[in-house]
Amino acid sequence: MTTPEKVLTVDVPRGRFNLFTYLCKGCGLCKEKCPKECLIWAEELGAYGTPAVIPDDPQKCIACGICEQVCPDCAILIEKKKVK
Amino acid sequence: MSATQPILQPRMPKSWYKANKPHLFCPGCGHGMVLKALGEAIDELGIQSKTIFGCDIGCSLLAWNFLDVDSTQTHHGRTTPVMVGIKRANPELVTVAYMGDGGGYAIGSQHTVNAAIRNEKITVILVNNTNYGMTGGQMAPTTLPGQRTETTPYGRDPEETGYPTRGPEMIAAIAPEGAYVARGTVANLRQLKGYIKKALENQMAGRGFSFVEALSLCPTNWRTNAKDTWAFLEGKMAQYFPVGELRVPKQKEE
Ligand code: SF4
Ligand code: SF4
Ligand code: SF4
């Protein structure tokens, strides 16, 4: 997969965290629901000029997909590595 | 990287209309989540081409081009009778009336009640966020005792304005055999999707009125940050409005 410009992509141990900045409205609902409390406000701005979100320490993210599920705007996409 | 590699796309339900995303709802609005659950339910049942979506007045109307299905918009709870008419004329269609607590429990409550009593074979999804969102956060039938809104600056006083409407409980009490009634929450989207799916299937099986209330978020008018937004939904709201299925019709033996 190629990633278009407006996607923040972070490799995490169990997969990849992707955030589509043009969809993120900076509501923070995902940050509150992350079981690892690893999301912080990003330098990059989202749809309304508010900060997007990004894992502060990629090692902490377990690619559980909860942030993707709760996002009302489908701004997050978690790709899970296939486990053999 | 070869040119044929697909560009990474967000994982939106197939039945979402991609061209209007980001959608029109506020940051952190629960409508996006309810419509994600509905979109996934439509996808899983494979009914996108025969679904008719009707939204109401208030914030629910911001969903007028949210789904890639035939859609219409009416005012003040009349989405319900409009969906009834479409369903009666074309019983093979799946009609969804989408509204807020104001449309369904206040100004349009007669439509909700009478469609339920007649056991109309439609699905109603009613989003409960305890206030009138679009007009600036006034008290709604669902505003909790003590809750501050634009029109209850000292908190809702049940002595003066009564107690909040428990819609699914009311529908469950008046709807005939065959009705499906549930209350879900955007705090549990998997469960909410399951309820919506059952409500659509109940309509498709021609069993009866299918009603799902979804407890939702309105951070703009609640004036809450993300933490307090979740806390209000999962605390006070869930206490007053218990989540679960109230009426599940017996399936016909095959
Ligand atoms: S995938 Fe799970 S652990 Fe990783 S950021 Fe999202 S919620 Fe947090
Ligand atoms: S990714 Fe989604 S849930 Fe998280 S801040 Fe952005 S819009 Fe809100
Ligand atoms: S006012 Fe409330 S219900 Fe309306 S779009 Fe904004 S957050 Fe959603």
Side-chain angles (χ1 to χ4, degrees), chain A residues 17-21 23-32 39 41 46 50-54 67-68 70-76, chain B residues 27-28 33 230:
Chain A
F17 174 100
N18 303 281
L19 182 128
F20 300 83
T21 53
L23 291 173
C24 175
K25 294 178 182 165
C27 69
L29 292 178
C30 54
K31 277 181 81 215
E32 295 301 320
L39 291 174
W41 298 121
T50 49
V53 292
I54 194 116
C67 52
E68 174 185 323
V70 300
C71 177
D73 287 88
C74 293
I76 299 178
Chain B
M33 297 173 185
W230 284 121

Side-chain angles (χ1 to χ4, degrees), chain B residues 149-192:
Chain B
T149 67
E150 281 293 298
T151 45
T152 56
Y154 305 108
R156 178 176 186 171
D157 177 5
E159 289 286 314
E160 235 171 56
T161 55
Y163 282 91
T165 305
R166 287 191 175 106
E169 285 79 353
M170 172 177 74
I171 303 295
I174 61 174
E177 190 83 4
Y180 176 84
V181 184
R183 180 187 284 118
T185 167
V186 299
N188 188 342
L189 283 172
R190 196 167 301 178
Q191 180 194 55
L192 178 63

Side-chain angles (χ1 to χ4, degrees), chain B residues 4-23:
Chain B
T4 52
Q5 275 210 314
I7 290 175
L8 192 69
Q9 294 292 336
R11 196 178 283 141
M12 290 179 187
K14 191 175 146 279
S15 50
W16 273 24
Y17 180 57
K18 313 287 181 309
N20 100 317
K21 306 294 177 289
H23 53 65

